[in-house]
Amino acid sequence: MRTYHCFWLLFWAGQPHQSFLTPLSKRTSGFPEKEKVLILSGNSRRDLHRSKRSWMWNQFFLLEEYTGTDYQYVGKLHSDQDKGDGSLKYILSGDGAGDLFIINENTGDIQATKRLDREEKPVYILRAQAINRRTGRPVEPESEFIIKIHDINDNEPMFTKDVYNASIPEMSDVGTFVVQVTATDADDPTYGNSAKVVYSILQGQPYFSVESETGIIKTALLNMDRENREQYQVVIQAKDMGGQMGGLSGTTTVNITLTDVNDNPPRFPQSTYQFRAPESMPPDSPVGRIKANDADVDENAEIEYSITEGDGYDMFGITTDKDTQEGIITVKKSLDFENKNLYILKVEATNTHVDPRFLYLGPFKDSATVRIQVEDVDEPPVFSRPAYIMEVKEDVPINSIIGTVIAQDPDAAKNPVKYSVDRHTDMDRVFNINSGNGSIFTSKPLDRETLLWHNITVIAAEINNPKQSSRVPVFIKVLDVNDNAPEFAMFYETFVCENAKAEQLIQTLSAVDKDDSYSGHQFSFSLAPEAASSSNFTLQDNRDNTAGIFTRKTRYNRHEMSTYFLPVVISDNDYPIQSSTETVTIRVCACDHRGKMLSCNAEALIHPTGLSTGALIAILLCIIILLITVVLFAALRRQRKKEPLIISKEDIRDNIVSYNDEGGGEEDTQAFDIGTLRNPEAIDDNKLRRDIVPETLFMPRRTATARDNKDVRDFINQRLKENDIDPAAPPYDSLATYAYEGNGSVAESLSSLESVTTDGDQDYDYLSDWGPRFKKLADMYGAMDSDKDS
């Protein structure tokens, strides 16, 4: 239980010349018994002045957290001018006046109306004064005093955080700093021990300790291992009153985590591992995984694997999976069951981040043995080389062997192998291969100038299991032989002036050869024997693969000889020597004095890429004649005057649409009567229609000739006259038929769709009497009648 002590204040006011004492109230017990009196002057306002006094007391104490039922008494204000007749009035102003503090205006007693809290406001400054109630004038000068709230221990210590989090490395020494906690007390630190805080540990021993005055938490146990326990919860108490009995206290929680250090080496869970690998496994393929366990975490648990010993040191490799810290064993080279079927490796696991402080615990690595068993598989044949390069001369005869490829079955069974050429790489079937021994030979002639390299693929497959096959590229280079004669580099057609002088150069020749020459081509030029002596020109070999043509005489006449054809023999120096005869065309032309050509018989020299002037004029005349013909034809067509087709309100048409109805076959010539169309009035009511089935059978009779129609006759005569005088009419006979039906034709429709109303009105039995031509039709309609009857 908290104990509250009350202190009471008393104010004494006196006149300068006379003063008296009023005894203190019993409620002021606990203060010194010394009387404290404030003496005020009683003169008028104009003469107010502070009298000489032996002491001044302007600070008073009042206990906080008063729990009584009455107002807490503070003190009394009294003036020697007060005669007790109620003529004076006491006034209080300042901090809390009228609210926290009130004064009895008649007696001057000051009281506190509410419970005061020092932590909210420790000091109050007030002013007191006595005035004349009737005049309102002060009879005493205003006096200022201080009320200081006296502290009691009513606040427990409070930590700055509800929960503290801290971490330290595992295996730390005793006394290692962990964290510092701080608690504050709102009580007055200058009065007593209410704000003196002392720290102690309630939970967390024997692992940690706390300094009582500073709140620093330290380790108290040696070699705390994270792998055994990682989290600790420590409860710290802060108690005021210096930790004495009755003091108030507060607590906080400190969560302490041990962080990892590399104090554990990696360890393989087993000493030997077994794996199997098929011999067909390609390089860099994984064989298996091994893992060494490390109790540490994060970078302290990172492991590096390596192969330190074993007969498969150069056949296998091992890498580390950074995510799982596993060692992945991979194949570095191709395996061969027939050569070696078992490999033994020694694999070592080492920590990559070693802490020197814990080297005394032993080496931070471990090793294990790995046995890898190679499994036999049916492998395809293996060629002796990864690729073959062969050479062959282009003049070799067909079926000549140019090389051999060799493939063997690597399995222990040594199955026989057959060879073939992939025809997708040899579409022209230039080469073939012996399926038994792999000899490649030609099947067609070769030409280096057409194709220098032939790239084919040879397939080797097991005879017993053709699916087991392999391929190898074969590059065949065709070697050159001198089988092509040199020839002109271009077609030479030149000219010589009529006024040319002897020994004048008119053309320089050069040659090319499709063959390849390792030392370079050397061509020789000469005139053909038949032209060497009788030619009007000479040929000079320049010995640099060029030659020049020179004139032999002084003048030439194009009227006597307009064109010369000079045969030139070109030879090479390779073996065997190849030569060809090429022809140079030389035209004789008229030239000016500077040798510039003016005219030649060969227009192609002047217009090598165009047409001659005569040809252009002829083409232009043809175009003009064609245009004149088109204009005349259009003019004649416009002069023709044609009357309109419709010369009356009747619709007259040039053509008649015939509805071809088989009817009675070829004998049916009475499908309709054209006379009805010419004259609707000539229709015979008794004439039968052949497009419908007649109700009664009787022989048709000939109708009378239709009367002539004047309108139709005039129309036909007019059209006949127009065709006779039309110059554009075709020069052959033609027949134009005109028919006239008129309005309101009594012939009505030619269609048989509306001839009868129902199928029941028809009797088709007579179709059977028309002969074999109508047998199919009679069967069809007879079947229809039988269906209706049923």
Side-chain angles (χ1 to χ4, degrees), residues 386-642:
Y388 292 85
I389 300 177
M390 302 179 182
E391 294 182 347
V392 58
K393 292 186 177 182
E394 61 177 328
D395 61 345
V396 296
I398 297 176
N399 295 328
S400 297
I401 297 176
I402 61 175
T404 302
V405 297
I406 300 175
Q408 293 181 349
D409 183 11
D411 299 323
K414 299 297 180 182
N415 294 320
V417 176
K418 64 177 181 179
Y419 302 91
S420 62
V421 176
D422 186 356
R423 291 306 173 187
H424 292 90
T425 60
D426 186 23
M427 301 294 291
D428 297 332
R429 296 180 177 269
V430 179
F431 299 96
N432 212 332
I433 190 170
N434 188 311
S435 62
N437 57 21
S439 298
I440 300 175
F441 56 90
T442 60
S443 57
K444 288 185 179 181
L446 303 176
D447 187 4
R448 188 202 67 86
E449 288 72 32
T450 302
L451 186 60
L452 176 62
W453 284 93
H454 294 268
N455 302 328
I456 64 174
T457 299
V458 174
I459 303 173
E462 294 182 6
I463 296 179
N464 299 333
N465 186 9
K467 292 184 178 179
Q468 293 294 335
S469 63
S470 56
R471 297 166 174 262
V472 67
V474 179
F475 306 104
I476 303 174
K477 182 179 181 181
V478 180
L479 301 179
D480 183 50
V481 296
N482 193 24
D483 59 345
N484 291 278
E487 57 188 13
F488 280 152
M490 58 181 292
F491 175 72
Y492 290 103
E493 184 176 1
T494 184
F495 70 95
V496 61
C497 295
E498 289 182 308
N499 55 357
K501 296 179 181 180
E503 301 299 326
Q504 180 178 340
L505 177 65
I506 61 173
Q507 182 65 47
T508 300
L509 307 177
S510 63
V512 293
D513 194 335
K514 295 180 180 179
D515 293 325
D516 190 13
S517 177
Y518 297 101
S519 60
H521 290 293
Q522 292 183 4
F523 303 127
S524 60
F525 299 86
S526 63
L527 292 177
E530 65 271 15
S533 59
S534 61
S535 176
N536 294 304
F537 303 92
T538 60
L539 181 68
Q540 180 179 339
D541 191 346
N542 298 325
R543 303 300 180 182
D544 59 355
N545 293 337
T546 63
I549 299 177
F550 295 85
T551 58
R552 175 174 286 183
K553 60 182 183 177
T554 304
R555 297 186 60 85
Y556 294 85
N557 192 338
R558 58 175 170 167
H559 299 289
E560 295 178 358
M561 179 66 71
S562 61
T563 305
Y564 293 93
F565 298 99
L566 186 64
V568 178
V569 177
I570 310 173
S571 302
D572 57 21
N573 65 339
D574 292 331
Y575 179 83
I577 296 176
Q578 299 288 340
S579 64
S580 65
T581 302
E582 301 288 333
T583 301
V584 180
T585 302
I586 304 174
R587 299 186 183 275
V588 181
C589 301
C591 303
D592 57 11
H593 64 282
R594 292 177 296 181
K596 184 177 180 181
M597 181 178 60
L598 298 178
S599 64
C600 288
N601 293 333
E603 297 293 340
L605 292 177
I606 302 177
H607 305 285
T609 60
L611 297 175
S612 64
T613 304
L616 293 175
I617 294 175
I619 293 174
L620 183 60
L621 289 177
C622 291
I623 294 175
I624 294 174
I625 294 173
L626 181 60
L627 291 176
I628 294 174
T629 303
V630 173
V631 171
L632 291 177
F633 180 77
L636 292 175
R637 294 289 293 178
R638 290 182 179 179
Q639 290 179 358
R640 294 178 55 190
K641 296 181 179 180
K642 294 183 180 181

Side-chain angles (χ1 to χ4, degrees), residues 330-402:
T330 58
V331 179
K332 293 172 61 177
K333 297 180 180 180
S334 298
L335 302 176
D336 190 355
F337 174 83
E338 288 71 26
N339 290 335
K340 189 175 181 61
N341 56 16
L342 179 63
Y343 294 90
I344 300 177
L345 309 175
K346 184 178 181 180
V347 178
E348 188 175 80
T350 307
N351 277 138
T352 56
H353 300 85
V354 179
D355 194 336
R357 296 177 300 171
F358 305 103
L359 290 177
Y360 67 92
L361 298 177
F364 282 77
K365 59 184 178 180
D366 195 16
S367 60
T369 301
V370 178
R371 298 170 61 90
I372 301 176
Q373 183 72 43
V374 180
E375 296 179 341
D376 186 26
V377 297
D378 189 6
E379 297 176 281
V382 177
F383 284 94
S384 60
R385 300 179 189 175
Y388 292 85
I389 300 177
M390 302 179 182
E391 294 182 347
V392 58
K393 292 186 177 182
E394 61 177 328
D395 61 345
V396 296
I398 297 176
N399 295 328
S400 297
I401 297 176
I402 61 175

Side-chain angles (χ1 to χ4, degrees), residues 104-156:
N104 190 319
E105 62 182 14
N106 295 321
T107 63
D109 292 328
I110 302 174
Q111 294 176 311
T113 62
K114 297 181 180 179
R115 178 185 299 181
L116 302 177
D117 189 355
R118 188 200 67 84
E119 286 72 34
E120 292 182 1
K121 190 173 178 64
V123 175
Y124 294 88
I125 300 176
L126 298 171
R127 293 179 297 277
Q129 191 174 32
I131 62 175
N132 191 299
R133 190 182 294 274
R134 290 179 301 169
T135 63
R137 299 180 61 183
V139 297
E140 294 289 352
E142 188 176 60
S143 179
E144 181 178 280
F145 61 93
I146 296 174
I147 299 178
K148 187 174 182 180
I149 307 303
H150 195 71
D151 182 50
I152 63 173
N153 189 20
D154 59 343
N155 292 280
E156 68 273 10

Side-chain angles (χ1 to χ4, degrees), residues 697-714:
L697 296 176
F698 54 87
M699 293 300 294
R701 60 184 180 89
R702 185 179 299 277
T703 59
T705 304
R707 296 192 302 270
D708 192 10
N709 188 295
K710 183 178 183 301
D711 293 335
V712 175
R713 184 178 66 251
D714 294 342

Side-chain angles (χ1 to χ4, degrees), residues 15 18 20 78-88 90 106:
Q15 198 172 9
Q18 182 181 0
F20 56 90
H78 185 74
S79 174
D80 59 352
Q81 300 294 328
D82 189 359
K83 304 300 183 181
D85 55 1
S87 61
L88 295 182
Y90 295 97
N106 295 321

Side-chain angles (χ1 to χ4, degrees), residues 243-264:
Q244 298 178 4
M245 186 71 68
L248 303 180
S249 65
T251 60
T252 186
T253 300
V254 182
N255 295 322
I256 301 175
T257 302
L258 296 184
T259 59
D260 185 59
V261 297
N262 192 8
D263 58 339
N264 292 280

